[in-house]
Structure formats: structure tokens, C-alpha cells
Amino acid sequence: MSKAIRRTAVIGAGVMGSGIAAHFANAGLEVLLLDIVPPNLTDAEKKDKKARNRFSAGGLEKAIKSRPAAFFHKSNARLVSIGNTEDDLEKLKDYDLVIEAVIERLDVKQALFAKLEKILPAHAIVASNTSGLRIHDMMTGRTEAFKKNFLVMHFFNPVRYMKLLELVAGPDTDPVTVDRIRRFGEDALGKGIVFGKDTPNFVGNRIGVHAMMAVIHQMLQDGLTPEDVDNITGMPLAHPKSASFRTGDLVGLDTFVHVAQNCFDSLTNDEDRAVFEVPAFLRTMVEKKFLGDKTKGGFYRKGANKVIETFDPVKLEYRPKGGDEGIKNVTKSVSKIEDPKERVRKIVADTGKAGQFAWKVASRSLAYSARRIGEIADSVVAIDDAMRWGYNWELGPFEMWDALGFAETVDRMEKDGLKLPDSVKKMRASGATGFYKDDTVYDLLKGAYVKREVDPRNATLTVLRRGQAPVLKNDGAEAWDLGDGVLGLTFKTKANSIDPDVISMLSQAAEKAESDFRALVIANQGEFFCVGANLLLVMMAASQKEWGQIDTMVKGYQDATQRLKYAHVPVVAAPYNMTLGGGLELCFGSDAVQAAAETYSGLVEVGVGLIPGGAGTMNMLWRALESVPEGTTVVTQEFVTQTFKNIALAKVATSAEEGKALGYFRRTDGVSFDRARQLTEAKARAIGMAEAGYHPPVPRAYTLPGESGIATLSMMVDTLQAGGFAGEHDAKIARKLAVVLCGGAGGASREVTEQDVLDLEREAFVSLCGEPKSQERMQYMLMNNKPLRN
């Protein structure tokens, strides 16, 4: 059995190296981050360890401060220690994995590997994060033993957020080494593994940079503007909203030009080599340091009065952002289509400028991808995975091809004179209907369909559910049998918001699970887990002064979350992405949570002039107090104060781990590093709880501070208001929240039950709905999707 990877080191503390180290720490691994000793130190500094570690310390500090955050929580940085390559290489003598992320110079890497070979233990794996250098060249002079434990681990930036990890083995790499790293990448880091070949820029960047460069050259040829191109190549082509040029600004134009130039220099036999040639205007931008977000100006920038300006590639100067209105209208309409396959069909079918451009760039990319099979990777799945995980495309090239119609697309390409490989022509002649068919995929190298390998841990709701119809169903939600005695509840509302149908289904699902199943899992689909209550319904009732209707609605959700909390079977919620307001209250009502690592949670109701009303105010405080042993004399004011801050300031956790730190999730709750495995992991957690002899919790009461606590929190509100950090209405909301959290006004500290707090919570919620300024906030949020400070 191979040794587990526990102690890791990263050499090179730049953006990539520090990002890799941060994510290793996120995974609970001990990391040593090294960099060179800074040159030109004074004689005194040469003896100062702190000065000698300046580069690694700086890299770590930047990772801690980075936005978006590299660490799930800043405390994870405690797992990272720093050093330098002159003083600290000897420490690696008992490490399991060393990754080099140093400058892309062959001589520097070769010299480093020569040193590592003398130090590392026999089981240690050495990996390079290079994307431009060949393994054969890097391994010159190394022993067979070193070569067998060496491979490329190519992460994508930012490391925490990008799922793709490309693995490239050399001719001498031991298959056991490859398998160790594959399992480590998938299980410990939550990455999606793509096996590439030792070719320049491997898989993702080879296809991605080609696509981007083809777009740039086609733009110049057709006389379009960057705005026109971004309108076409974003959502309509099932690519990220940042499209082409906005993505370039995010990545950095210097980085992009470097990768493109490397392709042009290295790919001397590529039939499409000219595509990688960097246009003169792009070189001008790099020379002038118009590099994108990091220099506050690239293809786009904020000009005078914060007006967005665009760099004109013809005039070589900035101008007000514009674009063709016809293209804008077409692409805006297409972007509203939810299904990405339908989107690409719609834009390519357009006969105007938008559709013509979309077809030109998409067809060229598809044909190029097909010609690369066998050279950069052996399967269409590898290329599709690389583009979805590394470039955030909704559809990989071959998935897009299928969406457009395989045969029709081949015929149109051939009519346009695009070069297709013989393998695709053979596939067309065979009558194949697409690259993907049921549980098979077409192997272009074998010329036949083969069974598609699927990790059972990645099973979707469609795969897990049993039967032809749901067990329970209404317009807002449905519950399916997920097998093994688990009932799965999923919402069907817009953004998985909570409406009366969802509320009704929560109670029905709990009752059904108790009678016919042994566990309940709440697992939604779509972009967001749950964005909270349906605000429109609340706003309409408030505008009509239907206070009884609002009270009934709020009590209904309180009862539903409490019904889940005290169900006689375990309830597991599987939150991900936006889990706000009522979505987080739903998690509070669950016995356990299996959260995606990238879960953004918080009680944000103050932004619409309200407080949490679905038992969220009560349950968040009860969560904070639940670890206090009964009989312990404890002043609950501090617990109340921290809960007050989290709600009144609408603190949003930007990871599942930060959610734990803020008390939104329990320390014992699970975290799924790979979102694709979240459903099966949530189901496994629910089964484990059921098989461990689950019993529901017993309601507890706590002594809350009463009037004295309200006074303390009121002084805090006064200070915030006096300092200009809170307005008059903010203060009103906060004071009502203080009354709820302190157990009500009119008395000293006393023991308060859950129902006491629920009644106070509901009363405060309904009363705030009657406030004109709260109604203004609700209306503004509905119209503008952002909070109003009034």
C-alpha cells in the first residue's frame, strides 16, 4: 500500500505557488512554502532569517489578503510554514510531496531537481506546475528512481476555485505514482483530473488559448468591437459571463500573451499555428501596461466619473463603451434561455452578424479540438472536462457539437472548407448520432462507441432517484426515493426560493420520511442552493397591509423548519453557492449539513429591512449556545452579542469553513471539496446517522439577558449610528433584533423557550413589514437585485 500524502512542500511563492500552498492547507495538509533568498541583501540582512525568508513570507501574506480569498478561512494559514531554498531544503528529507512552481526557466528547474534528488526520501513525489516545458528536458541528468516519482501537476488559477488539475506523466513515471496523485487530487483536493500528454500548454490552455486567439483575429477581420465579441462569446456560446475580453482582463494580458507566444514558438508543426500569433495591438497594450484588472485597465477600464471605457484595437486608445445595438439585442435575448444547449443552437442559427460570428469562432474551435485528439489527449471527454473545469465553459467542445447536431455540424463545416480529421469523417459515415450516447462516448481513436467511465461518487439526482415519478410533488418542490431508504427533497422554484408550496412540502417530506424511509436529504439543483424567501410575495402582502397573511406565512416556515429539526429521522441539508436567509434557516433546521466547500451563507434579511423570521434568529442563537453543558453558570450576553453582530451586519461566510467559524454550520458538519460528489456524500451522511441509532434532539431553554442585554446592544447601535455606520432605519431594525435575541423586553434575565423566541421573532418580522422604509428596501431589491441604504 502506498504511503499517504500528509506533509507537502511548495517551492516558489508567487501567485501559483502560494495559491497551491493555500489550497493544500484548506485540505488540512501541513505545507512548507519556500522561495529563493532575495538578492542584494545587506550584510546584516544576510544573517537575518526574516529577511532571507522575505519572498516566501510575502507570498503567504498576499495569499492571506487575496480577493477572491485563497484560504477557506484565514486560520488555515497556520498550516503553512515558510523558509528559503538555501537554508531549508534539508527539511524536505521526510516530506511526501514537493511541487515546484518556480520561474519557467529550464536551467533553474534542472538545478532545483538536482538538489532535491539528494534530499528527498524514496517515497516522495516531485511534481512541476509548468505548462510550457517538456518533462524529457526537465529530467535531463536525473536518476531512474527520481524520474519514476516525477510528473506534472498543472493547477489552474485561482487554485482554490478552479476544479481542473491536469496530470502529465513522463515516459519513466511509475503508474503507481500517477495513481497516488490522481487519488490525492480527487479525494484530498476535490479536483477534477484530466490526463494530458507532454505537449505545450497541455489540454485546457491549448484549446482555450486557441479559441481566444481565433476570436481576436476574427474580430479584427470582421470589424467588430470587443463589446460585440463579449456579447456573443459569453452566455450565448455557453461560456462564462466574462466572455473573452473580460476574462482576459481577469487573467492578465501579460500572462495571456506569454501563453499564446509559447504556443506560437513551440507548435511549429501545428496547422493552425498562425492563430497563436499575437496581434500588434495586444503587444502595444502589454507594453503600455494595460494588463487588465491588476493595472486597473486592460480591454476595459473605469474612466472619468467611473464610466466604463473600452480599448479600441484600431485607434489604440480608450473610448466610451459601446457596441452594435443589433448584436446586443440578439445576444441579450439568447442569454435569457436557461438551457445552454438551446442557447448555442439559437445563437448559431441567427443569420445576422451575431450568428455569423458565433458560427465562425465556434466551428473553428470544434474542428481544432477534434484534430487534437491523440496529440494532447486521447478522449473527447478529457477535452470537454478540461474546458468545463479549467475555463468554466458550460459545454465542452464536443458537448457543444452534439447540441448543434453532430451530422449537421460536420456537413456545415465541410461546406465552409474547415479541415476535419479522418476520424470524424469516418464517424459521420458510420451514422453516429453524436459523441455522447446514453452511457457511452465515441472513441475517435478506436472508431467506435465505448463505455464511459463515471465515478459513482459523482451520481446526480437523475441517476440516484428511483421510480418513474416522485414520491411527493407540488408546484414548488418534489421528493424522490434516492434508494437505500433515503428520501430526497428538491425545490423547483426560481433560484430555489421559498414559497408556500416549498413550505408545505417540507412538512410533507418530513412526515413521509418518518413513515416510509429512514432519512431525508435536502439537495437542490441549479446555480444556487436557496436565495431565501420569495420576497415578492412578502412585498405584495405588505403593500396590501395583509399582516395576518404575512404572520401565517412566517409561522408556516417556522413550523416547517422546526418540524425538520425534530423529525424522527435524520435530516441532512446539502447547501452550495448562495445559501442566504431562508436557505440558511433551512440548514439550521437540519440535523446535519454536507456543504459544498464553496458555500456562501448568511442571514441577510436586514438588507431588505427585515430580520430572519423562519426560526433563523432563534436557531442561530441556539446553535451558539448548544455546546454549553447544562448546569453551567454562563453569562449568555457574549453569545447573544455575537449572534446580533452576525445578523445585524448581514455577515456572509465565503466558504463552508468560514460558515463554521461564524456558527452557521456545526464544526462536525461535512464539507464536500468536489461539488459533483456532494449529493452522494450527503446521502452517505444521512445513512450513517440512521444506522448509528438516530434519535431527535430534545428542546432546550436558555437564560437570556433580558432588559440589561437590550440596553447593552442598544448602546452598540447608538455608537454605530453616531459613527455613520448605521442609518436611522438600520438602528430601528437592530433594536427590534436585540429585543428578540435577549428574550423580550420588560424583565430581568430569565429562562426562555424556543417558542418564546419564535413568537418574538415573528412579531418583529411582521412589524418591520409595515415600515415604509422596509417596503422601500424590499421593492428596491426586487427591481435592482442589490440592497438600498435608506
Side-chain angles (χ1 to χ4, degrees), residues 113-278:
F113 297 145
K115 292 178 182 177
L116 292 176
E117 187 171 35
K118 299 174 182 176
I119 297 168
L120 294 176
H123 74 272
I125 295 172
V126 178
S128 173
N129 188 58
T130 185
S131 61
L133 298 178
R134 304 294 297 273
I135 292 177
H136 175 271
D137 297 328
M138 290 190 288
M139 288 296 94
T140 299
R142 301 284 62 77
T143 64
E144 291 304 312
F146 190 90
K147 291 176 183 178
K148 79 172 187 176
N149 282 342
F150 180 87
L151 76 168
V152 167
M153 293 177 70
H154 185 230
F155 292 88
F156 274 61
N157 187 44
V159 179
R160 166 183 160 180
Y161 301 92
M162 302 307 293
K163 181 173 177 176
L164 179 60
L165 172 57
E166 294 177 328
L167 298 185
V168 182
D172 304 304
T173 309
D174 190 333
V176 174
T177 297
V178 176
D179 190 59
R180 279 181 73 193
I181 293 299
R182 176 193 60 78
R183 287 186 285 109
F184 171 72
E186 288 179 343
D187 299 345
L189 304 180
K191 297 301 181 186
I193 304 299
V194 165
F195 292 101
K197 300 196 175 185
D198 194 11
T199 56
N201 293 298
F202 308 129
V203 183
N205 281 339
R206 180 75 173 271
I207 302 300
V209 173
H210 176 275
M212 175 70 168
M213 293 301 293
V215 161
I216 291 174
H217 288 297
Q218 196 67 53
M219 174 189 72
L220 296 174
Q221 185 176 323
D222 289 2
L224 300 187
T225 67
E227 300 97 316
D228 296 330
V229 169
D230 275 354
N231 285 333
I232 297 167
T233 62
M235 294 286 286
L237 280 179
H239 292 171
K241 293 177 183 178
S242 55
S244 300
F245 296 111
R246 184 74 192 97
T247 297
D249 282 353
L250 290 167
V251 171
L253 302 195
D254 52 344
T255 300
F256 175 70
V257 167
H258 171 76
V259 176
Q261 187 64 48
N262 180 60
C263 283
F264 184 77
D265 293 341
S266 305
L267 300 172
T268 54
N269 296 320
D270 191 305
E271 75 285 348
D272 240 7
R273 184 189 181 212
V275 170
F276 295 102
E277 189 167 6
V278 179

Side-chain angles (χ1 to χ4, degrees), residues 479-501:
W480 287 81
D481 179 354
L482 300 185
D484 302 305
V486 178
L487 183 66
L489 175 63
T490 185
F491 300 173
K492 299 187 297 180
T493 51
K494 185 177 181 180
N496 291 323
S497 58
I498 295 162
D499 66 4
D501 283 330

